[in-house]
Amino acid sequence: MREATCYRAALVAITLLVVAVAGCWALLTPAFRAPDEPQHVNSVLRLAYGGGWPAPGEARMSPAMDVARRQAALESDIPGRHWNRAGVIQYTDVVPVPDGQRLQVTAENALPEPGSSSGLAAVDQMTQHPPLYYAAAAAWLHVTGTADARWDQVLLSLRLFGVLLLVPLPLLAAATARTLLGDRRQARPAALVAAAAVLFVPMSAHILSAVTNDALVALSGAVITWLVARVLPGDLRWRTAIGLGLALGVGLLTKVMAAFAVPMVVVAYLLAGPAGRPLLADLRRTWWRRTARVLVAGLVAFAAGGWWWLRNLLLFDAVQPVGLPERWEPVPNAGVGHFVTTVLTALTRSFFGDFGWLELRVPTAVFWAGATIVAALCIVALVRRDTRRDAAALLILPAALWVSVVSNAWRHYVDTGWITAVQGRYLFAGLTALAVVTALGARPRARAVPWLVGAGGAVAAASLVFAFRGMYGGPRESAAEAAARLAEWSPLSPGQLGTVGASTFVVAVVAAGACVRFAVVATTRRAAPAATATASTATTTDGTGASV
């Protein structure tokens, strides 16, 4: 069997595994237990039922969502919460509302009532963002016929929409790695590892399978990363520039995080061309071609989505209006040291594993080990001469996102003494870029691919088990009791949940087999020419001129 065929089979299997794991997270995460998920769902329903897009701070939660939050016991504490609040009921002590008694979303309850409460809990702050994700999700509800279903079915439908948006990420990561490595021997192994990289970041599957606009901005970032990887070797075609503009525009009409991809695009056109050439001389000859492509990409991006932010500036005197009123009474801050340690820890932890609504924290050693490995592989990619330029260009996006989160937190800390908005999910627009750079740093041989993909699958499985116990398992309860509780809360039956789990296990086995087959074929095919060359040399001479 050809190596290319085995590679494609392994890539498809890895993609299916990533999607299956995300599907498990969509079913596992308790209702609305992802950051701002009730507000995201509320904004989707508002558009689905013709409620428009109010000005930031003016959108309100609907009666349907008020009831849904109560029926989902959102105010309770899950068993594994990092600290239990005094006087708050435990999630394990709540009796789930039977399926037949759960509220059904209708035109009468999907929109807020005139003159509804203006308290903090009643505000839907999502209109501080552009509406593209919410419009697409509302269309999904209508296409799938779930716009007027029970609230738990609506929620699951929207989570599966997020899983659908996740499908291209492994494929784009693999395509990006192969584009940058070309015909080098490690190109296909590195591409497969890049595709599996999401498995090593369990928080990404948890967040991107929830109801969130981060899902669409992560997809936009993945497309931008792939197109930038095409520009770096010298692709100056107009269609590539237009594609970059469209991808940027989609991101900009989703969330401001996409704007931080602009420096990466500019640098890519600045460096475009074969590595090792005289860059300054090349720039003098082709500066206008490069500038024209950047301008076209910028104009297309503005026409597709950038105009929204100019609109904000004209209407609200702010590029990113505030969706919620200030919630923090100013207090004296605790100094720079407190800020640095708190932000670095919170940002790193919530990038790798801060499940639920940042309630269920993985052990400290786990997320620092993950951060150390990622940092080390990125440094290796930056040190290697043949990947230095490409790695530096791709890392601009996650680095810019990281700096923006920290600087925004610092401004709020100086003004109020509180540290807020420090969440690793804000970096997921650069998730594909980071996955590719770590794969460039690892540069595995074909025989290592099954082990690395297997390790990613093990991390994903361990994270799901950790979350299952932390979300549903009460003190001294068995796994069977926790599973029964999950089934009671879920819109699916126990049999359907079991089928999903079994299917995920089968997909994992198939992915492992496909990776092993790729490794065997790739290693065998490369060993054969080397053996032939050795034999040919041996038969030519034995060192005395005689044939042997």
Side-chain angles (χ1 to χ4, degrees), residues 229-237 268 271-274 289 389:
R230 297 181 66 86
V231 170
L232 283 168
D235 184 352
L236 298 180
R237 291 176 296 179
L271 300 178
R289 289 182 65 201
R389 179 196 65 169

Side-chain angles (χ1 to χ4, degrees), residues 150-439:
R150 295 194 322 255
W151 65 260
D152 57 331
Q153 295 170 329
V154 170
L155 177 63
L156 179 57
S157 177
L158 290 174
R159 285 181 173 181
L160 294 179
F161 176 63
V163 174
L164 182 65
L165 295 178
L166 180 62
V167 172
L169 263 65
L171 301 173
L172 288 166
T176 302
R178 288 204 64 189
T179 299
L180 294 176
L181 289 174
D183 57 358
R184 276 168 274 193
R185 185 176 61 180
Q186 301 98 338
R188 287 189 177 117
L192 293 177
V193 171
V198 170
L199 299 173
F200 289 97
V201 186
M203 190 68 176
S204 66
H206 167 55
I207 290 294
L208 300 181
S209 64
V211 186
T212 173
N213 55 5
D214 290 311
L216 185 54
V217 81
L219 175 57
S220 169
V223 175
I224 294 167
T225 300
W226 170 59
L227 290 173
V228 161
R230 297 181 66 86
V231 170
L232 283 168
D235 184 352
L236 298 180
R237 291 176 296 179
W238 288 111
R239 68 182 185 184
T240 303
I242 293 171
L244 271 169
L246 288 172
L248 275 168
V250 167
L252 289 171
L253 203 54
T254 304
K255 202 168 186 177
V256 73
M257 299 303 179
F260 296 97
V262 173
M264 181 174 70
V265 173
V266 174
V267 169
Y269 276 106
L270 178 67
L271 300 178
R277 75 201 186 289
L279 180 59
L280 292 178
D282 199 18
L283 285 174
R284 282 195 293 268
R285 289 186 297 102
T286 61
W287 68 271
W288 173 241
R289 289 182 65 201
R290 298 166 189 267
T291 302
R293 271 62 176 180
V294 171
L295 290 175
V296 165
L299 289 172
V300 172
F302 180 81
W307 58 269
W308 181 269
W309 305 100
L310 177 61
R311 163 194 174 274
N312 283 350
L313 194 60
L314 295 175
L315 291 179
F316 309 116
D317 293 322
V319 174
Q320 173 74 71
V322 177
L324 280 175
E326 181 57 63
R327 294 164 286 173
W328 312 97
E329 288 292 334
V331 297
N333 69 60
V336 175
H338 171 72
F339 175 84
V340 170
T341 55
T342 302
V343 167
L344 287 181
T345 300
L347 195 53
T348 306
R349 181 183 60 235
S350 59
F351 180 83
F352 286 98
D354 212 349
F355 307 124
W357 204 320
L358 308 181
E359 302 163 287
L360 183 59
R361 297 176 174 178
V362 297
T364 302
V366 172
F367 65 81
W368 280 124
T372 301
I373 292 170
V374 169
L377 291 175
C378 288
I379 290 171
V380 171
L382 289 169
V383 169
R384 279 181 170 152
R385 184 174 299 177
D386 62 339
T387 57
R388 181 181 303 157
R389 179 196 65 169
D390 299 337
L394 293 190
L395 285 175
I396 290 173
L397 176 54
L401 290 165
W402 189 91
V403 169
S404 72
V405 171
V406 174
S407 60
N408 183 63
W410 173 253
R411 285 194 296 270
H412 194 261
Y413 182 62
V414 170
D415 292 341
T416 68
W418 295 93
I419 298 174
T420 60
V422 179
Q423 297 185 35
R425 64 190 175 96
Y426 297 148
L427 308 183
F428 288 163
L431 184 63
T432 299
L434 203 56
V436 171
V437 174
T438 54

